[in-house]
Amino acid sequence: MDSTFQDYAGALAINQSKNDVFLFNSNGNLVRGNGVSQRLSVPILSPDFNQEVQAVFRRERNRGIANPILVGAIPFDMRQPTHLIAPDWSERINALGYSLSPFMDEGFTHRVMEHRFSPDHNDFLTMIEQALSIFEMGHLKKVVLSKVLTLTLDRIIDIPRLLSNIMAQNPNAYHFSVPLERDVLVGASPELLLRKQGNKIFSNPLAGSARRLDCPDRDRQAAQTLLESSKDQYEHRLVVEAIRSSLSPLIHNLHIPDPPELISTPTMWHLSTQIEATLADINPPSLFDLIKHVHPTPAMCGTPTLEAQHCIESLEPHQRGCFSGLVGWCDFQGNGEWAIAIRCAQVSGNKATLFAGAGVVPDSNPESEWLETSAKMRTMLNAFGIKENVI
């Protein structure tokens, strides 16, 4: 096992009960931290949020940290409290192409003792049908509706081994382990909301998905069908145009390639667009201000945003919390990365909660959306080594 990952895994194993070890790993940055110097729970939409962030950074600099960092999670609903930490100790390795080298732990398996969907299959179909009827009544163009799967497993979950499997199975993802109050949010997101490096901004929205298939020929056909799907292309355009509209007032140059390209994870095909922009020179916004402009995108919420949020609140029977929110980091210099909290689980003891959503548009099929959300959960089920067909 790579020594850097081994060091992290050892620290995580020692501190599991304290829930104070953080990791965020991308193809350009590895950020690690442990311990808690300060916590910040002020909602990002609070008028005091930016002042509170600066106060945290000021106190960290007073204790001798030259470039302090905030790490953690921002909920889907930005009116809810954040889960941000200034760690006691942290490091950032900024080396494009650097990565950890976790191993695939074939012996890491779990049996499912109990499982429960919210909503269950029938209620999920009803929820999608209700959304389709809303499209006929108003201005809603897309809404992302989700389900959660709560698992009770046969043993306490070893988070370092789980994270190793997540990373080994999904090497090109944004890997994260984020301490929350009572549990740990761990996963491998394929989707970058925002990266800020100096005055450069990067985003990689994904919208339009198809399940990977075991047969290579059928898998290639599934990818081609996705690329040619008018429904999925429409869904993707809504996301890209929303990001364009949100960023345009804040930037000099905006590069958005067209059409989208195909990318894949071990379990899914996605339509993907790599967006790059340069911030305006005068009074450039902070990374958190950019987040307020862009999050949630139609990829996680829908469009128009307010109508979609109201639809989610009225139809989903569960609270999303950090699911489809953001995980990442931001430093005193204003650089940072925030990925969307999907393909993940909240873990505590022998309990795990998984989440998946699907973009619903006027020609969506309810059963197809159930199957898509189930396929998206396969990433985490594979990492847990769960063999039962619980989805």
Side-chain angles (χ1 to χ4, degrees):
M1 195 189 326
D2 178 90
S3 61
T4 306
F5 183 79
Q6 202 165 31
D7 292 344
Y8 167 76
L12 184 55
I14 292 169
N15 290 283
Q16 275 195 78
S17 62
K18 294 168 62 179
N19 279 10
D20 63 0
V21 178
F22 173 87
L23 178 139
F24 185 93
N25 181 53
S26 69
N27 64 355
N29 289 285
L30 167 64
V31 176
R32 302 187 299 164
N34 65 1
V36 178
S37 173
Q38 300 181 68
R39 293 187 186 273
L40 181 60
S41 59
V42 176
I44 191 171
L45 289 186
S46 166
D48 299 326
F49 179 79
N50 286 346
Q51 290 176 286
E52 294 293 333
V53 168
Q54 293 307 310
V56 168
F57 283 150
R58 185 169 57 251
R59 289 190 289 267
E60 291 301 291
R61 284 172 63 82
N62 286 342
R63 75 181 186 97
I65 309 298
N67 185 25
I69 193 169
L70 272 173
V71 304
I74 297 169
F76 167 75
D77 182 348
M78 292 189 291
R79 298 167 297 182
Q80 295 180 354
T82 56
H83 302 270
L84 301 176
I85 291 171
D88 272 331
W89 170 89
S90 66
E91 71 170 358
R92 176 164 68 94
I93 300 171
N94 185 358
L96 200 61
Y98 178 90
S99 64
L100 302 179
S101 300
F103 69 99
M104 184 63 198
D105 190 344
E106 299 291 350
F108 186 67
T109 60
H110 294 85
R111 288 190 299 114
V112 177
M113 311 306 292
E114 296 179 8
H115 74 279
R116 181 176 64 87
F117 282 106
S118 176
D120 63 19
H121 180 256
N122 288 338
D123 288 343
F124 183 91
L125 299 187
T126 298
M127 180 176 68
I128 302 299
E129 289 165 355
Q130 289 174 321
L132 293 175
S133 68
I134 293 173
F135 288 124
E136 299 174 358
M137 297 164 51
H139 301 293
L140 189 64
K141 297 179 181 178
K142 173 187 173 181
V143 63
V144 178
L145 294 173
S146 67
K147 67 188 183 192
V148 294
L149 171 61
T150 303
L151 302 170
T152 301
L153 304 180
D154 60 332
R155 63 173 66 91
I156 300 296
I157 298 160
D158 186 320
I159 296 176
R161 294 177 72 186
L162 172 63
L163 185 64
S164 182
N165 272 10
I166 289 170
M167 297 172 75
Q169 292 177 12
N170 304 273
N172 299 316
Y174 296 89
H175 311 116
F176 55 88
S177 180
V178 179
L180 304 175
E181 282 83 355
R182 298 181 181 85
D183 46 23
V184 177
L185 180 67
V186 58
S189 174
E191 186 163 1
L192 174 71
L193 180 75
L194 285 172
R195 175 189 298 122
K196 183 173 179 289
Q197 297 174 343
N199 68 341
K200 298 293 185 183
I201 299 296
F202 305 88
S203 182
N204 183 201
L206 309 180
S209 305
R211 181 171 62 94
R212 299 290 305 272
L213 301 174
D214 292 334
C215 171
D217 288 339
R218 293 181 62 214
D219 190 47
R220 283 191 293 270
Q221 183 58 50
Q224 188 62 32
T225 299
L226 173 63
L227 197 59
E228 297 172 356
S229 165
S230 58
K231 179 257 186 189
D232 290 287
Q233 289 282 351
Y234 169 74
E235 182 183 340
H236 191 83
R237 281 195 303 275
L238 291 176
V239 178
V240 172
E241 289 307 312
I243 293 176
R244 183 200 302 273
S245 176
S246 298
L247 290 180
S248 290
L250 309 172
I251 57 175
H252 275 320
N253 301 304
L254 181 62
H255 175 66
I256 301 180
D258 186 51
E261 62 180 353
L262 277 172
I263 67 167
S264 65
T265 71
T267 59
M268 300 295 295
W269 288 103
H270 296 287
L271 296 179
S272 164
T273 296
Q274 295 277 356
I275 297 173
E276 298 183 17
T278 304
L279 288 175
D281 294 329
I282 301 174
N283 297 322
S286 71
L287 180 51
F288 288 119
D289 286 334
L290 289 167
I291 286 172
K292 293 175 197 177
H293 274 83
V294 176
H295 177 68
T297 74
M300 291 299 113
C301 178
T303 189
T305 303
L306 289 179
E307 285 87 341
Q309 286 177 320
H310 291 322
C311 185
I312 290 167
E313 291 169 0
S314 65
L315 294 182
E316 286 188 350
H318 51 271
Q319 291 292 318
R320 291 194 182 185
C322 290
F323 290 133
S324 68
L326 306 174
V327 292
W329 61 274
C330 178
D331 66 16
F332 175 72
Q333 297 173 350
N335 302 308
E337 288 179 295
W338 292 88
I340 298 179
I342 52 176
R343 313 297 193 273
C344 58
Q346 285 187 207
V347 177
S348 179
N350 69 331
K351 307 280 188 182
T353 302
L354 283 61
F355 167 94
V360 182
V361 293
D363 58 350
S364 290
N365 175 274
E367 183 64 28
S368 296
E369 305 299 353
W370 173 267
L371 294 174
E372 179 180 322
T373 51
S374 296
K376 289 174 176 175
M377 288 181 171
R378 178 50 59 190
T379 294
M380 291 304 301
L381 292 172
N382 289 344
F384 279 101
I386 292 172
K387 306 302 182 184
E388 295 101 321
N389 185 21
V390 296
I391 56 175

